[in-house]
Amino acid sequence: MSRKVRVRFAPSPTGGLHLGGVRTVLYNYLFARHHGGDFVLRIEDTDQNRYVPGAEEYIYNCLQWCGLEPDESPLKGGPHAPYRQSERKAQYAQYAKQLVDAGHAYYAFDTPEDLEDMRSRMKTEANPTPQYDYKMRSHMRNSTTLPQAEVEQLIQAGTPYVVRIKMPVGETIKFTDLVRGEVSFDTSLVDDKVLLKADGMPTYHLAVVVDDYLMGITHAFRGEEWLPSAPVHLLLWKYLGWEKEMPEWAHLPLILKPDGHGKLSKRDGERLGFPVFAMNWTDPKTGELTQGFKERGFLPEAFINILAMLGWNDGTEQEIYSLDELVKQFSIDRVHKGGAKFDYEKAKWFNHQYIQRKPTEELVPLVTPYIADKGVTVDAGYLHKVIDLVKERCTLLPDFWEQGHFFFTTPEITELQAIKDKWNEQKKTFFETWMAGLDSASWAHDALEANFNELVAAQGLKKGDVMLPLRIMLVGGKYGPHVFNIVEMIGKEETKKRIENALKVL
RNA sequence: GCCGCGUUGGUCAAGGGGUUAAGACGCCUCCCUUUCACGGAGGAAUCACGGGUUCGAAUCCCGUACGUGGUACCA
């Protein structure tokens, strides 16, 4: 038990990396770092039908953005390379054969059509999904039913076959899951899973066991959807004679839809208007784009924090954690058993917190592209001041433009009606007088405001009568930081210009 | 259908035999801001249900309901 901790994240490159996937990465990463261990990225690309170009590259990008980079990966290499299962294809067959020779697996010659036929024939109301289990296997074409000579002949003739595990009858498989405690399964109820496919590729079941063994994985974390097949994996570890090196298991709870029920899916994001993937993902076949948290304007630290708290907490009231703090505090036994519904409002709250805490100089380069995207060339010093003024009302990165565009370009007045109704000659005179006095005004927000106040009093007005009009003239609507800060920032000419423009339409 | 796993406010959740059942998000009310936010003060839970065990159960046991996952030559 003194082995160095080694964990792995093993995605299949079939599309975008979604919330649950990133959280699995995160928990692996935190566990590894907490224990001074290694974090391995292994690509499980054994299903050639589901190969999606670019998906692997995309995973690297997501991990990089999240700051959860593996110690070993197909990209980085490492002592157990290759880390891509398709490149490890050759080694699985020998283990499959070892299992057959020991009587724990067998060759099956049933074609996909045979299987389909069997399922439709055996299907009843009471048993809607017939399994290829210990009972069924005696009725199928495999090396447990065919004479050995025929089996050899078939194989020699190049007949396609798969290798299936021979599930024992009536055994109870028990193990202690790090998050669920003791769980148990009756082997009679588990089917004879395919281990090696007709194309020579292993299925997940064989590959995960062989590779975890070969790569010295000590702790295997994966989604809860794998729990029902855990007994197959446990048996494989035993049959292959590696029981002593078997990793400890932890099956992580699922992330569920915010409304209704079920696993959170990419469709829910589209339907409810929030991202589900870490980064933008474009399906190369359909060209369909699914938005990511990154592009939506989330900070990676916030994104990580959100995910960490979705299914785990350290028992204190703390909610905001840096990655380092998470590494320090994380423990797998405080991971919840139940699935959690994703709450986008709370996710935004986290991002808002991170934006408030992030030093403005670090925000400048992050906000710049959003401003540049609007065709505005920004001066970093000016942007810095704008950010200081508007950051507290920004939740996502694009909000900086929404909340601060009037610092860069003359806004369109969208709430003119709010002042038009109560507009009169007296107010008009006030603004004309104020503008005229601006030339000699000292250009600082407090001085400007004092000057403004004096004039308000001198003209027998109430400040409230002209504050809102001024704001709308300068900003376009009823929002934004203190109005004299805006005056100070945009300067005399621009201030006059905006007031004059407004005066024309009032 | 069968098997596994789960169930504390709308959501995330603390608490795991005796508590006024934390805290956060969201929502509502008020205060502060002559805008919008921020900030501050309040408001809202018969701990899924039914049985036990116990002096005492959200906490332990059993059952039910509900949810969720699996039941592919997908992972």
Side-chain angles (χ1 to χ4, degrees):
Chain A
M1 272 286 97
S2 57
R3 284 201 290 166
K4 184 181 189 188
V5 166
R6 285 175 60 78
V7 300
R8 98 277 126 136
F9 175 59
S12 53
T14 53
L17 219 210
H18 111 317
L19 282 178
V22 182
R23 195 191 53 178
T24 303
V25 177
L26 178 62
Y27 288 3
N28 268 293
Y29 179 93
L30 296 176
F31 186 84
R33 289 289 171 272
H34 183 88
H35 291 99
D38 301 325
F39 170 48
V40 177
L41 175 69
R42 185 174 69 218
I43 298 294
E44 309 224 333
D45 55 349
T46 56
D47 185 355
Q48 298 174 327
N49 300 320
R50 293 215 299 166
Y51 172 75
V52 176
E56 186 180 319
E57 184 67 23
Y58 169 86
I59 290 169
Y60 301 140
N61 293 339
C62 288
L63 297 193
Q64 185 178 41
W65 179 64
C66 293
L68 305 174
E69 303 219 47
D71 301 305
E72 301 165 27
S73 75
L75 206 58
K76 252 189 125 173
H80 300 278
Y83 290 92
R84 207 174 275 126
Q85 286 181 332
S86 58
E87 293 169 16
R88 304 168 68 81
K89 180 177 175 181
Q91 63 195 144
Y92 303 106
Q94 59 172 303
Y95 296 108
K97 180 155 194 318
Q98 184 186 328
L99 289 163
V100 173
D101 292 345
H104 292 125
Y106 57 91
Y107 300 113
F109 301 96
D110 318 281
T111 64
E113 294 72 36
D114 292 340
L115 294 174
E116 203 178 309
D117 180 56
M118 177 276 279
R119 290 190 181 109
S120 61
R121 227 179 41 242
M122 303 305 288
K123 185 175 165 180
T124 63
E125 196 132 311
N127 182 17
T129 49
Q131 296 195 101
Y132 200 124
D133 59 9
Y134 77 97
K135 280 184 235 161
M136 188 59 66
R137 83 174 155 247
S138 60
H139 302 294
M140 305 300 286
R141 275 168 57 78
N142 56 54
S143 60
T144 71
T145 59
L146 268 20
Q148 196 181 334
E150 190 180 343
V151 170
E152 279 165 19
Q153 194 189 16
L154 282 167
I155 291 177
Q156 210 131 65
T159 314
Y161 66 87
V162 301
V163 174
R164 285 179 180 271
I165 186 172
K166 191 175 182 177
M167 288 300 287
V169 181
E171 282 182 27
T172 299
I173 303 286
K174 261 192 220 162
F175 70 98
T176 303
D177 185 281
L178 261 18
V179 345
R180 274 144 227 287
E182 189 165 284
V183 287
S184 65
F185 297 86
D186 179 350
T187 56
S188 304
L189 272 7
V190 181
D191 60 337
D192 289 353
K193 295 274 183 231
V194 170
L195 265 20
L196 201 66
K197 299 187 257 192
D199 64 2
M201 277 288 193
T203 59
Y204 172 81
H205 303 106
L206 212 217
V208 74
V209 170
V210 169
D211 285 338
D212 281 352
Y213 168 72
L214 262 16
M215 294 181 178
I217 300 304
T218 58
H219 300 265
F221 303 162
R222 66 206 330 187
E224 190 186 345
E225 68 269 26
W226 290 110
L227 198 48
S229 50
V232 175
H233 309 321
L234 275 278
L235 245 19
L236 253 19
W237 276 92
K238 182 175 152 193
Y239 293 159
L240 259 4
W242 304 330
E243 217 173 0
K244 285 196 194 71
E245 280 119 307
M246 187 173 76
E248 296 207 61
W249 301 95
H251 290 89
L252 275 17
L254 269 10
I255 296 178
L256 310 170
K257 302 175 194 295
D259 64 340
H261 305 287
K263 253 200 302 193
L264 182 68
S265 73
K266 138 186 130 166
R267 290 262 165 257
D268 299 312
E270 289 159 14
R271 185 169 55 87
L272 273 9
F274 59 78
V276 165
F277 290 160
M279 293 171 69
N280 274 6
W281 167 253
T282 304
D283 187 300
K285 275 202 202 91
T286 64
E288 184 193 4
L289 171 83
T290 307
Q291 202 184 32
F293 278 85
K294 176 181 183 231
E295 290 79 3
R296 188 60 166 257
F298 278 82
L299 266 23
E301 324 67 302
F303 182 53
I304 288 307
N305 200 148
I306 292 160
L307 260 17
M309 300 311 285
L310 212 55
W312 174 87
N313 73 79
D314 69 359
T316 69
E317 285 184 12
Q318 186 173 353
E319 287 196 282
I320 304 292
Y321 291 85
S322 67
L323 227 206
D324 286 345
E325 287 175 305
L326 287 172
V327 166
K328 205 167 292 169
Q329 294 304 117
F330 186 76
S331 65
I332 193 72
D333 48 87
R334 287 199 63 93
V335 172
H336 303 149
K337 297 179 174 75
K341 290 181 185 166
F342 178 67
D343 181 359
Y344 186 57
E345 292 306 318
K346 182 92 189 218
K348 286 195 292 190
W349 175 81
F350 272 106
N351 206 251
H352 183 260
Q353 291 294 313
Y354 273 84
I355 284 181
Q356 303 325 305
R357 288 158 198 242
K358 205 167 185 63
T360 299
E361 53 269 31
E362 290 175 28
L363 247 13
V364 170
L366 296 175
V367 173
T368 301
Y370 288 92
I371 307 299
D373 195 45
K374 301 290 180 183
V376 174
T377 312
V378 281
D379 170 76
Y382 187 75
L383 179 57
H384 190 290
K385 288 183 197 158
V386 172
I387 291 174
D388 274 338
L389 254 15
V390 303
K391 75 194 277 189
E392 69 190 17
R393 60 206 83 203
C394 293
T395 298
L396 300 171
L397 260 12
D399 294 345
F400 281 95
W401 175 259
E402 299 300 320
Q403 293 294 329
H405 64 95
F406 47 83
F407 284 111
F408 307 103
T409 61
T410 306
E412 191 186 331
I413 298 181
T414 56
E415 298 191 66
L416 189 67
Q417 206 56 44
I419 51 177
K420 203 165 189 172
D421 293 340
K422 293 181 188 166
W423 192 248
N424 58 35
E425 277 304 309
Q426 191 187 12
K427 291 184 185 177
K428 188 180 177 196
T429 306
F430 170 84
F431 279 103
E432 282 165 352
T433 314
W434 188 60
M435 277 197 290
L438 247 27
D439 289 327
S440 54
S442 111
W443 211 259
H445 66 91
D446 43 0
L448 287 161
E449 183 166 6
N451 162 291
F452 185 90
N453 290 346
E454 278 173 36
L455 188 61
V456 165
Q459 303 247 338
L461 281 157
K462 279 182 290 180
K463 196 178 178 186
D465 295 334
V466 283
M467 280 298 279
L468 188 64
L470 179 58
R471 165 172 302 280
I472 288 176
M473 288 170 184
L474 300 181
V475 171
K478 295 199 274 187
Y479 61 95
H482 288 294
V483 94
F484 293 100
N485 283 308
I486 298 170
V487 172
E488 181 186 317
M489 285 288 287
I490 63 178
K492 193 195 308 170
E493 296 313 315
E494 183 66 20
T495 301
K496 282 186 177 177
K497 184 179 130 194
R498 291 185 192 182
I499 295 173
E500 278 160 5
N501 284 162
L503 255 21
K504 282 181 211 154
V505 294
L506 276 162

